[in-house]
Amino acid sequence: MIKPKQNLQKELEKMLPTLDGGVLLHCCCAPCSTSCLEYLKPKVKDMSLYFYNPNIDTEEEYFRRAGELKKLNEIGGYNYPLTVADYEPQTFYDAVKGLENCPEGGARCAVCFRIRLAAAVEQAKKEGRKYVLTTLSVSPHKNAELLFETGKAAAKDSGVIFLPSDFKKGGGFIRSTQICREYGIYRQSYCGCRFAKGS
Ligand code: SF4
C-alpha cells in the first residue's frame, strides 16, 4: 500500500506551540528566508539564523547572498542573531565528487542538503539550541520529504531535533517573490553550485 504523503508544513504548525528550546534556522539565501521569517516571527520567540552554503560557486556570490540575508534581517525588523560561516567550497566539491553531472534535484542535491543540514545541526549544538529548521523547503525545486529525512539523519543522536517543514505550501513561494520585490532583495537566477548554472 502506498503511504499517503505527509503535509510537513502542517506537522510544523502543530509542533511550533510545543517547542521548549531555541530554534536555529538554516538560511540558504535571503529570497527563501523572506516568507519563512514572516511566518515564523509570531510563532517562535527564540531563534537564530545560520548562513552556511559551501555549494555557492564563487566567494563574491557567497557574500552577496549573505549580505542580502543581513539586509532582510534588518529591514524586515527581525534582528535575529545571524552567523555567516566562512566560505568553504572545497567541502562541497569533495562531497559531490562523481556527482557533478547529475541533474538538479538528483543525487548531487541530496549530498548538498546533507552537508548543509549537518553543519546546521553542529551550529545548533554550539549555540545550545534544541531545534533546527531550514528555509530550503520554500523552493518548488526542493523536495521537502527528502530535506526532512536528510535533516533527521543528520540530527540523529545529536540531541538536536530537526523540524519538518514545507514552506512552499500555502503560497509560501509566491509570498517570497512579493517580499523580495517589496524590499528590493536580490533574487539569484540559479540555485548556487556551478553545475546547476545555466541548467
Ligand atoms: S543544484 Fe542546488 S541543491 Fe543541487 S547541488 Fe547544486 S546548489 Fe546544491
Side-chain angles (χ1 to χ4, degrees):
M1 201 171 81
I2 300 168
K3 231 171 113 190
K5 260 188 156 185
Q6 280 173 290
N7 183 330
L8 297 175
Q9 194 60 18
K10 280 213 169 118
E11 296 287 311
L12 176 65
E13 201 147 332
K14 270 192 271 167
M15 288 180 82
L16 287 177
T18 71
L19 303 189
D20 60 353
V23 174
L24 180 133
L25 179 66
H26 165 259
C27 298
C28 57
C29 61
C32 288
S33 303
T34 52
S35 53
C36 298
L37 288 176
E38 185 176 70
Y39 171 86
L40 291 167
K41 189 177 182 187
K43 298 177 170 68
V44 181
K45 295 287 158 258
D46 181 13
M47 189 161 75
S48 64
L49 313 182
Y50 185 47
F51 186 88
Y52 175 81
N53 302 292
N55 51 306
I56 295 172
D57 61 341
T58 67
E59 189 165 15
E60 188 188 357
E61 180 71 14
Y62 187 82
F63 286 106
R64 183 177 186 191
R65 293 189 192 189
E68 290 297 297
L69 179 62
K70 189 167 176 278
K71 177 169 110 182
L72 169 68
N73 195 28
E74 287 167 9
I75 62 178
Y78 299 112
N79 301 310
Y80 291 116
L82 163 64
T83 300
V84 174
D86 293 342
Y87 180 52
E88 297 171 339
Q90 203 53 46
T91 305
F92 173 70
Y93 292 126
D94 290 346
V96 301
K97 209 167 174 43
L99 303 172
E100 293 86 347
N101 296 323
C102 290
E104 187 167 349
R108 187 187 64 245
C109 300
V111 174
C112 181
F113 296 162
R114 176 163 55 74
I115 56 177
R116 289 191 275 173
L117 299 181
V121 167
E122 283 309 307
Q123 181 69 14
K125 275 165 57 182
K126 207 165 126 190
E127 292 184 20
R129 297 188 178 275
K130 190 167 174 186
Y131 303 96
V132 171
L133 256 176
T134 180
T135 60
L136 278 161
S137 69
V138 170
S139 167
H141 302 293
K142 306 284 188 294
N143 179 322
E145 284 82 14
L146 177 61
L147 284 166
F148 185 41
E149 291 308 317
T150 306
K152 275 196 301 186
K156 193 166 180 268
D157 302 326
S158 69
V160 170
I161 296 168
F162 190 85
L163 295 171
S165 73
D166 196 355
F167 286 112
K168 69 179 85 51
K169 289 257 154 78
F173 175 69
I174 292 168
R175 182 65 190 136
S176 74
T177 63
Q178 290 167 344
I179 302 172
C180 284
R181 270 199 301 278
E182 209 176 302
Y183 291 163
I185 300 280
Y186 157 64
R187 285 184 71 216
Q188 62 274 357
S189 59
Y190 65 108
C191 185
C193 70
R194 65 174 144 101
F195 311 116
K197 215 168 182 175
S199 65

